Amino acid sequence: MLINDAMDIVGNYIVDFDGYPVSTAAGNKPDIEAEYKDFHLIVEVTLSAGQKQYEMEGESISRHLGMKQKRLVEEGNFKPVFGVFVAEKINDNVVNYLLTQARFASKAYGGKVRIVPLKRSMFEKLMISSVTNTHFTSRVLFDFFTAVFSDEILRNFEFTDEDWLGHISECLDEFGAVIA
């Protein structure tokens, strides 16, 4: 299970009687926060699409991760913080924004803001790969994030946002092969 070795998980969303989410997190909080031995994870989910997705989600998802990262650094916790942004379809402007955020360190957020944009179908692939393999650990997930945000990718300014989405998809394929 993806959260099998998490040290702490907090869902900031509202659930119904059966435990199903009925809304996303209140303002100024990510939908899900998790802490693992080697890193922290922020998960943001949206139903918005198109340009509205960029307008509604772009700044807030990087702010949620960035503020957590800054707070951790100020507390002396230097474990990396990664994020996952999930939507049915990811707006091109959101991808471009997230790639830019990952390339440049921010004083306001204590470093680079690293959020992986995943279409719902890509997220399902990640979940299926992780839950069907008994050898899965958060270390494999950490290696996935490290590959997505490799220096080789982030320092190559010829590498476009479209190229990055293709790279993320390749990393998902490798992720699935590693734990299969």
Side-chain angles (χ1 to χ4, degrees), residues 1 11 19 25 30 38 48 53 57 76-77 83 95 98 108 110 113-115 124 131-133 139 142-143 145 164:
M1 190 144 115
D38 298 318
S48 65
Q53 182 184 84
E57 305 290 347
N77 183 336
V95 177
L98 294 178
V113 175
R114 295 168 292 197
I115 303 170
E124 286 175 0
V131 299
T132 57
N133 186 285
R139 188 65 203 186
F142 179 83
D143 291 344
F145 287 123
W164 191 43

Side-chain angles (χ1 to χ4, degrees), residues 46-61 85 87 89-94:
T46 189
L47 296 174
S48 65
Q51 183 61 25
K52 201 64 166 167
Q53 182 184 84
Y54 175 69
E55 293 166 4
M56 289 175 56
E57 305 290 347
E59 185 273 336
S60 68
I61 58 177
F85 176 66
K89 182 176 185 218
I90 307 289
N91 178 271
D92 293 340
N93 293 321
V94 172

Side-chain angles (χ1 to χ4, degrees), residues 1 4 128-137 176 178-180:
M1 190 144 115
N4 64 347
I128 290 167
S129 293
S130 65
V131 299
T132 57
N133 186 285
T134 57
H135 302 293
F136 177 80
T137 67
V178 166
I179 63 172

Side-chain angles (χ1 to χ4, degrees), residues 109-123:
Y109 297 144
K112 296 177 180 180
V113 175
R114 295 168 292 197
I115 303 170
V116 179
L118 293 177
K119 293 184 275 187
R120 183 186 52 78
S121 60
M122 296 167 82
F123 183 72

Side-chain angles (χ1 to χ4, degrees), residues 3-176:
I3 58 175
N4 64 347
D5 59 354
M7 296 164 53
D8 188 32
I9 298 174
V10 177
N12 294 315
Y13 48 85
I14 298 169
V15 296
D16 65 13
F17 258 163
D18 297 319
Y20 293 106
V22 293
S23 74
T24 56
N28 295 321
K29 288 190 174 190
D31 294 326
I32 300 171
E33 300 175 69
E35 180 180 3
Y36 294 91
K37 178 183 169 212
D38 298 318
F39 65 99
H40 294 270
L41 178 64
I42 299 294
V43 179
E44 297 278 0
V45 181
T46 189
L47 296 174
S48 65
Q51 183 61 25
K52 201 64 166 167
Q53 182 184 84
Y54 175 69
E55 293 166 4
M56 289 175 56
E57 305 290 347
E59 185 273 336
S60 68
I61 58 177
S62 61
R63 180 173 29 85
H64 292 159
L65 187 146
M67 295 307 291
K68 177 157 185 95
Q69 179 171 271
K70 181 180 180 183
R71 186 174 62 254
L72 290 167
V73 167
E74 288 171 350
E75 294 169 357
N77 183 336
F78 297 99
K79 287 194 284 192
V81 181
F82 298 108
V84 174
F85 176 66
V86 182
E88 185 66 33
K89 182 176 185 218
I90 307 289
N91 178 271
D92 293 340
N93 293 321
V94 172
V95 177
N96 181 278
Y97 178 71
L98 294 178
L99 178 57
T100 302
Q101 292 285 301
R103 283 183 166 153
F104 299 102
S106 165
K107 181 180 177 188
Y109 297 144
K112 296 177 180 180
V113 175
R114 295 168 292 197
I115 303 170
V116 179
L118 293 177
K119 293 184 275 187
R120 183 186 52 78
S121 60
M122 296 167 82
F123 183 72
E124 286 175 0
K125 189 177 189 178
L126 176 71
M127 293 293 97
I128 290 167
S129 293
S130 65
V131 299
T132 57
N133 186 285
T134 57
H135 302 293
F136 177 80
T137 67
S138 62
R139 188 65 203 186
V140 175
L141 187 59
F142 179 83
D143 291 344
F144 166 75
F145 287 123
T146 301
V148 167
F149 296 108
S150 72
D151 285 341
E152 177 184 341
I153 298 301
L154 297 182
R155 290 183 181 160
N156 180 354
F157 291 100
E158 298 298 316
F159 199 79
T160 67
D161 43 1
E162 187 175 324
D163 295 332
W164 191 43
L165 276 181
H167 173 68
I168 292 168
S169 184
E170 289 171 8
C171 288
L172 278 173
D173 289 342
E174 290 173 19
F175 173 82

